[in-house]
Amino acid sequence: MIHKTDIKISIIILFCLICKLSFSQDSTNISVRMMHYMKLNEYKKLHGNLTKEDSLSLKFQDSDTLVLLTKDKLPNSIKVPYEQRDSIFLDLYTDVVFNKNKSTENIKMKYWKEDIKLFFDKSVDKDLKKELLEFAKSISSKIDSLTIYEVKERTASNFFIYEINENSDYKFEPRIKKWNGSGYYINWDGRQRLYQCNLEINRMQLFNKKLLHNKVKQTFFKALGQFYVIEKLDCTSLFSNCYKGSDQISSIDIELLKYHYSYGICKGTDLETFEEQHKIAKELLEKANHHLEYYYND
Amino acid sequence: MKKIILCCILSTISISSFSQETDLEILRNYQSVNLYKGNIQKDSLKTKNTIILKNDTLVVVSSKNKDVFNLSYGEINDNLLKEYKNIVFGNEEKRNNYSYKKYEIKLWNSPINLFFHKKVPKYLKQELTSLINEINTNIDSVQINIVNKKEASNYFIYITNSKNKEELHPNINTKRSISYNLQSNGLNHIYSGVLRINLESIYNKEEQIIKLKRLFIGSLGIFHLSDSLKCNNFLSSCYTVNKNLTKMDIDLINFHYKNKFDQKVNLNKFEKIISAYIEKNEFTDNVIIKL
């Protein structure tokens, strides 16, 4: 008898469990309401004194007074998660973008917002054009927000490539000077967006085919973000000051370029801002392991 | 418990001091750790300057240290060293001049493939070719070939005349009757060069030959001419048509090519390296010097 009741109870328990399981499957659609709070002193700096509504929704945490932000007070832009990177990677990145430790100028990070539309002048050697196009395509396929393709008319392009050789000596861009074999002249706007580039290939200066091809590739690569060359990477890297060509674009080059064109960093900033932001982000992550987001202003 | 805390503190200190050294590691070759594991044994895996990514880890497979030099100078002859400094960094009495301070050791890091323009006269070609043969036999680390395709060459010699307004090579000094221009990378390794000679302003054949030879030798490392060398040396600043490749010339060029530095070396750095080398007193090959 005792046994039977025991079984009954266990059956009831089992049922209950099954019910609970099926219930929980039903309730997957949890609605979450995001609330944004700001410290009182910071709120006053941005929006002035508190309104009546604000003071009704005050919250106290630790020793801070927090004000609830209404929808109209939130920034009107896209939120993107902060991309965490280690200090060694950031060290390389600041070297190639800001020319850290070497430049005294206040260099700002520059990038292409529009698609890069290449136009090749008829003076450009066919082999070189083919190789450069393949190179550009392989970069374009690896970086999401960087699109490079060839256009058939110069008027529709924003990246003009020409060659100086024994048959063609017209220098389309006289501002390109001092270069050995290949150089570029690039334009950017006030928001540090690159929008037009002229690239010169000079076969008179560098007549060795292989050397010239490598030189042009590196010059083209540098024009993708007004990059600087560094000594920290070896000669297989396009960011090195001794690039000797390689079959494939090295993984570190791709990673640096990917980061440059990712949404997880602020665009167009200078070194000081960049380092400050990373310092704050690192401190916050260490303190609370929060999910950090940037407001991306388009 | 106290011991553990002490250990923690010590290890954090050592980590932070390591990170300060990172700047000196140059010429890093990064590879994905997955690729690396397959090729090389795990215990040789370096952890310094490793980059951790979301889906991958990049490790340094090879690198150089900026303050470590691997030298093979052998015995050092004081007179040779003095002359060497004269030809690489300029004559001693002029070295205080500001423009001399920028001179650095530069050398070819690949075979020189020479191409002559079709207008270069035969006698010049022959004379230079015989000098090149001499260099090739006497100087181990310099290799000079003569090629017949311009696109396969990395050294181009052409002639010019006073009527030539358009210069074939835009980077060259057009005011001089004979001059060269070399291109080098960030490690001061020369990879391409041109030499032009104006046969109208240098009309004497003997003079043409000597000046061409002298400049060609100079372009093996952007050499200056020494005031203290004897007149028959090519690297002497004194001018005469009776010059040949002397033992001194050969020794100087050999000395220059004994070490291929992977960074820029100016006089200041060179003197530090040499004095550290002499201090170590080993004078064999592959002596490791740490500055």
Side-chain angles (χ1 to χ4, degrees):
Chain A
M1 284 302 278
I2 300 164
H3 271 283
K4 269 190 181 173
T5 49
D6 260 356
I7 290 168
K8 262 188 188 170
I9 292 167
S10 59
I11 288 171
I12 289 167
I13 291 171
L14 248 176
F15 261 109
C16 282
L17 269 174
I18 291 165
C19 288
K20 231 198 153 189
L21 275 174
S22 56
F23 265 126
S24 68
Q25 272 176 346
D26 276 347
S27 58
T28 41
N29 286 329
I30 307 163
S31 72
V32 179
R33 229 181 115 217
M34 290 268 263
M35 315 274 269
H36 295 263
Y37 286 94
M38 191 181 251
K39 279 184 190 171
L40 182 64
N41 53 351
E42 274 162 20
Y43 182 90
K44 277 184 177 169
K45 266 187 236 164
L46 275 172
H47 305 289
N49 281 333
L50 292 178
T51 60
K52 270 184 189 174
E53 281 170 15
D54 289 336
S55 50
L56 285 174
S57 52
L58 287 179
K59 202 182 166 187
F60 304 98
Q61 193 178 331
D62 299 336
S63 55
D64 294 323
T65 313
L66 303 175
V67 190
L68 179 70
L69 295 179
T70 47
K71 229 179 184 179
D72 58 303
K73 299 264 164 62
L74 287 172
N76 184 24
S77 46
I78 313 157
K79 279 193 290 181
V80 282
Y82 166 74
E83 225 182 294
Q84 204 192 348
R85 295 290 179 136
D86 65 34
S87 60
I88 292 156
F89 182 84
L90 291 178
D91 205 33
L92 289 176
Y93 181 77
T94 45
D95 274 354
V96 298
V97 171
F98 303 106
N99 201 13
K100 198 190 169 186
N101 303 328
K102 282 200 178 152
S103 174
T104 48
E105 282 172 74
N106 188 24
I107 292 164
K108 285 178 177 164
M109 179 265 199
K110 295 175 188 67
Y111 68 108
W112 287 87
K113 174 79 185 158
E114 304 279 320
D115 293 352
I116 299 178
K117 297 164 203 142
L118 306 174
F119 178 77
F120 290 87
D121 187 62
K122 59 179 187 300
S123 57
V124 180
D125 174 71
K126 271 183 189 163
D127 288 351
L128 181 50
K129 181 183 166 181
K130 202 181 149 201
E131 207 175 314
L132 195 58
L133 264 177
E134 269 169 25
F135 180 69
K137 273 179 195 161
S138 74
I139 292 171
S140 186
S141 65
K142 284 181 183 110
I143 314 291
D144 292 338
S145 47
L146 181 65
T147 317
I148 312 166
Y149 50 85
E150 190 195 358
V151 292
K152 293 289 170 203
E153 268 179 65
R154 195 182 167 189
T155 47
S157 72
N158 57 9
F159 202 111
F160 178 60
I161 300 165
Y162 66 95
E163 182 173 316
I164 291 178
N165 51 37
E166 270 152 10
N167 309 317
S168 161
D169 64 350
Y170 188 70
K171 199 175 172 79
F172 285 92
E173 178 57 88
R175 286 175 291 190
I176 297 174
K177 280 173 195 162
K178 280 187 192 169
W179 295 88
N180 293 321
S182 183
Y184 69 90
Y185 195 88
I186 203 159
N187 297 292
W188 61 84
D189 65 9
R191 296 160 80 184
Q192 312 301 317
R193 289 175 176 174
L194 304 166
Y195 63 86
Q196 203 271 331
C197 182
N198 291 335
L199 189 144
E200 178 181 299
I201 299 161
N202 199 323
R203 203 175 287 272
M204 306 302 281
Q205 291 176 350
L206 199 58
F207 32 86
N208 183 292
K209 200 173 171 182
K210 205 181 151 203
L211 289 174
L212 182 68
H213 285 206
N214 288 337
K215 188 90 185 181
V216 173
K217 275 192 207 166
Q218 192 182 23
T219 308
F220 177 78
F221 191 81
K222 276 161 76 182
L224 298 179
Q226 180 81 325
F227 296 124
Y228 294 87
V229 289
I230 57 172
E231 60 176 9
K232 280 182 189 156
L233 294 174
D234 81 331
C235 306
T236 58
S237 165
L238 286 148
F239 287 113
S240 77
N241 59 14
C242 57
Y243 180 63
K244 277 181 184 150
S246 58
D247 302 336
Q248 273 185 333
I249 304 168
S250 74
S251 42
I252 185 74
D253 291 353
I254 289 292
E255 215 44 59
L256 286 165
L257 191 64
K258 249 188 205 165
Y259 186 62
H260 192 73
Y261 278 94
S262 75
Y263 288 101
I265 55 164
C266 275
K267 298 273 188 280
T269 59
D270 58 4
L271 181 64
E272 208 182 317
T273 319
F274 182 86
E275 286 187 329
E276 185 66 26
Q277 281 177 342
H278 278 275
K279 208 181 132 203
I280 295 169
K282 210 180 161 191
E283 276 168 10
L284 279 172
L285 278 170
E286 269 171 14
K287 220 160 115 188
N289 195 21
H290 280 310
H291 174 74
L292 288 180
E293 279 172 336
Y294 273 122
Y295 282 102
Y296 185 77
N297 241 327
D298 201 32
Chain B
M1 191 63 195
K2 266 185 185 172
K3 268 186 184 173
I4 294 171
I5 293 169
L6 201 75
C7 261
C8 287
I9 292 169
L10 277 180
S11 59
T12 46
I13 289 170
S14 61
I15 286 168
S16 58
S17 59
F18 265 126
S19 65
Q20 277 174 342
E21 268 179 41
T22 52
D23 263 0
L24 292 173
E25 193 177 27
I26 55 167
L27 295 166
R28 301 175 208 162
N29 185 336
Y30 278 104
Q31 296 285 343
S32 163
V33 77
N34 301 324
L35 274 170
Y36 185 61
K37 268 181 195 165
N39 296 327
I40 303 161
Q41 285 175 347
K42 249 186 196 172
D43 41 295
S44 67
L45 196 116
K46 282 186 223 165
T47 49
K48 200 177 157 192
N49 282 329
T50 297
I51 292 173
I52 297 157
L53 305 168
K54 239 183 204 169
N55 310 316
D56 198 2
T57 302
L58 300 177
V59 287
V60 179
V61 178
S62 68
S63 66
K64 290 262 164 74
N65 235 334
K66 215 183 169 179
D67 58 350
V68 176
F69 298 88
N70 183 350
L71 304 175
S72 307
Y73 280 123
E75 285 288 342
I76 287 195
N77 173 332
D78 283 347
N79 186 40
L80 187 79
L81 187 64
K82 191 188 121 222
E83 289 302 343
Y84 179 70
K85 283 193 220 163
N86 283 345
I87 64 158
V88 172
F89 304 106
N91 285 296
E92 204 172 353
E93 58 273 19
K94 293 174 195 161
R95 262 181 239 152
N96 286 329
N97 189 326
Y98 177 75
S99 64
Y100 277 66
K101 292 207 166 127
K102 61 176 192 257
Y103 293 136
E104 287 162 346
I105 296 176
K106 288 190 178 181
L107 43 79
W108 289 83
N109 197 26
S110 53
I112 299 172
N113 293 326
L114 186 65
F115 176 76
F116 290 101
H117 190 264
K118 58 177 185 282
K119 282 184 184 164
V120 178
K122 222 176 183 180
Y123 62 91
L124 278 183
K125 264 195 222 176
Q126 274 170 355
E127 287 288 341
L128 195 62
T129 310
S130 70
L131 176 76
I132 284 168
N133 290 337
E134 250 183 290
I135 292 173
N136 278 338
T137 46
N138 289 307
I139 297 160
D140 305 332
S141 13
V142 184
Q143 196 201 329
I144 307 163
N145 313 310
I146 293 167
V147 295
N148 44 24
K149 258 192 182 176
K150 196 181 172 191
E151 61 168 46
S153 70
N154 58 5
Y155 200 116
F156 178 48
I157 294 181
Y158 66 96
I159 56 157
T160 175
N161 55 47
S162 319
K163 287 173 200 158
N164 254 3
K165 276 184 188 166
E166 291 285 323
E167 280 291 341
L168 277 169
H169 193 270
N171 271 353
I172 212 148
N173 187 342
T174 50
K175 282 174 192 152
R176 294 194 178 169
S177 52
I178 177 164
S179 61
Y180 64 79
N181 176 271
L182 304 173
Q183 296 179 32
S184 57
N185 64 20
L187 311 179
N188 273 353
H189 294 167
I190 304 165
Y191 57 84
S192 182
V194 284
L195 191 154
R196 78 186 243 305
I197 174 165
N198 188 332
L199 298 184
E200 276 176 10
S201 57
I202 311 174
Y203 43 83
N204 180 299
K205 273 193 185 179
E206 271 186 323
E207 195 186 337
Q208 288 170 1
I209 292 163
I210 284 300
K211 284 201 167 163
L212 176 66
K213 283 181 174 177
R214 198 188 198 185
L215 229 69
F216 183 78
I217 287 180
S219 71
L220 295 179
I222 315 196
F223 296 135
H224 303 271
L225 300 172
S226 165
D227 293 341
S228 48
L229 275 179
K230 273 185 194 160
C231 219
N232 61 337
N233 293 292
F234 276 118
L235 290 165
S236 157
S237 60
C238 139
Y239 177 75
T240 162
V241 286
N242 297 318
K243 275 184 191 291
N244 45 46
L245 194 69
T246 58
K247 193 176 174 298
M248 191 62 179
D249 287 329
I250 293 167
D251 286 350
L252 283 168
I253 301 169
N254 263 329
F255 190 81
H256 190 66
Y257 275 90
K258 262 183 186 162
N259 291 291
K260 290 188 177 174
F261 294 105
D262 282 321
Q263 55 176 287
K264 291 182 174 168
V265 177
N266 57 14
L267 178 64
N268 191 13
K269 200 173 225 169
F270 177 74
E271 279 182 335
K272 275 185 197 164
I273 294 167
I274 280 290
S275 59
Y277 178 78
I278 293 170
E279 212 170 274
K280 203 155 190 194
N281 205 17
E282 279 179 18
F283 306 116
T284 51
D285 282 355
N286 300 319
V287 177
I288 308 286
I289 297 288
K290 195 170 186 299
L291 287 190

